[in-house]
Amino acid sequence: MTSAAAAVPQPGRTRSFLRLVMIEHSVFALPFAYTAALTAMRLWDGSVHWTKLLLITVAMVGLRTFAMAANRIIDREIDARNPRTASRELVTGAVSVRTAWTGALVALVVFLGAAALLNPLCLALAPVAVVPMVVYPYGKRFTDFPHAILGLAQAMGPIGAWIGVTGQWSWDAVILGLAIGIWIGGFDLIYACQDVAADRAHGVRSVPARFGIAGALHGARACHVITTLLLVWYALATGAGVFFWLGLVIVAAAFAYEHTIVRPDDLSRLNRAFFTVNGFIGIALFCCALLDLVVRGLGP
């Protein structure tokens, strides 16, 4: 009876941990890692290497899970003082700090294991990818621009995916990585607008807290213009075809829509801009990139 009762909470803890790290938000980063990996495969030998793609998926999810868990652990006291985040699992006790650290370390081991199985360069550079993931949550304590650290962390995905396929450094992957990092940094500026009052009250630093909501939204627009230009550069550098360019048109239209529904005096549709539009951007561009790669010779 005792052992059976002890076994019951485990699924609940697992579900709570998955909510803690918001596992479903992998949709923001995975499509661009896949775009980089599949582009590298087309240039390498024209074939999809499914084992490598699986290992890249495992590595991406592992690293993101570690990053989110570390973020929640480090920020738990800040979260407790913000009404929007006071219901997070580490604040309410639904997930203990010990459980969160255990999950984070398991995810880190999974990431390092997948990197090792991909190739030696991936494993050697793995710590470089981990560092900004840990520095980011501390960023809001010492800089008004923690969003830039988040962007740097997210830029690692496409670069790592390309290296995972080829075992070699690629400046084309760097262009795509910068595009994605600046894109995510830009929509983090939008997301942070909802916490201006709490951030200012508790000394949490961010662009909206320092420069106001209007300043943050102007910054986000600039980021997304730069993202679009970098994606154009990536398309030219990799010889992308018509379907990838179609994807860029869709992305530009989605960016324009995103910035019409969030205004300094009206943040009521912020979650639509953050979750729905940005999720759509990632999936739409990946689908167009995949179709373009298949038309240009990528095969199973």
Side-chain angles (χ1 to χ4, degrees):
M1 180 72 174
T2 302
S3 60
V8 172
Q10 185 61 40
R13 287 197 297 268
T14 301
R15 284 194 295 270
S16 295
F17 178 78
L18 293 177
R19 286 197 301 270
L20 175 79
V21 300
M22 302 175 77
I23 195 72
E24 68 277 9
H25 286 187
S26 299
V27 70
F28 292 135
L30 276 173
F32 299 101
Y34 289 153
T35 297
L38 292 172
T39 302
M41 290 176 188
R42 192 196 76 80
L43 295 173
W44 190 19
D45 64 4
S47 299
V48 177
H49 296 259
W50 295 102
T51 301
K52 286 183 177 291
L53 207 57
L54 175 61
L55 288 171
I56 288 168
T57 304
V58 171
M60 287 288 296
V61 174
L63 181 58
R64 188 197 167 279
T65 300
F66 165 76
M68 283 295 296
N71 188 2
R72 294 293 191 253
I73 294 166
I74 294 165
D75 275 355
R76 65 188 184 279
E77 293 182 2
I78 291 176
D79 288 344
R81 296 193 294 266
N82 184 336
R84 184 182 67 82
T85 57
S87 61
R88 285 178 174 170
E89 289 75 12
L90 279 174
V91 178
T92 64
V95 175
S96 69
V97 175
R98 180 179 178 180
T99 297
W101 271 123
T102 300
L105 293 175
V106 168
L108 181 60
V109 169
V110 168
F111 164 65
L112 294 174
L117 290 171
L118 281 165
N119 57 63
L121 184 57
C122 269
L123 180 59
L125 294 178
V128 178
V130 172
V131 169
M133 304 294 181
V134 177
V135 173
Y136 166 63
Y138 289 108
K140 61 180 69 73
R141 294 162 171 84
F142 63 82
T143 177
D144 293 325
F145 304 96
H147 327 279
I149 304 173
L150 176 64
L152 175 63
Q154 297 298 325
M156 302 291 181
I159 299 171
W162 194 297
I163 293 173
V165 171
T166 65
Q168 299 176 349
W169 183 261
S170 167
W171 289 108
D172 292 343
V174 172
I175 297 170
L176 182 59
L178 288 174
I180 303 321
I182 293 172
W183 166 56
I184 291 179
F187 77 65
D188 191 57
L189 288 175
I190 298 174
Y191 192 67
C193 287
Q194 62 191 318
D195 292 328
V196 168
D199 288 351
R200 287 173 174 169
H202 302 296
V204 177
R205 302 176 68 173
S206 70
V207 167
R210 173 66 177 81
F211 300 101
I213 293 174
L217 294 181
H218 284 307
R221 292 188 192 102
C223 284
H224 292 158
V225 169
I226 294 170
T227 295
T228 304
L229 293 175
L230 284 169
L231 289 173
V232 168
W233 187 8
Y234 174 77
L236 294 171
T238 57
V242 64
F243 290 108
F244 189 89
W245 289 102
L246 174 62
L248 290 189
V249 172
I250 294 172
V251 167
F255 279 150
Y257 172 70
E258 180 177 29
H259 290 286
T260 62
I261 64 174
V262 179
R263 300 190 302 273
D265 59 346
D266 182 9
L267 299 179
S268 61
R269 292 181 289 181
L270 185 146
N271 281 336
R272 183 190 301 178
F274 181 77
F275 296 109
T276 307
V277 177
N278 287 296
F280 168 79
I281 286 172
I283 294 172
L285 186 59
F286 170 68
C287 289
C288 289
L290 177 61
L291 182 58
D292 185 64
L293 290 169
V294 169
V295 167
R296 292 193 293 137
L298 181 68

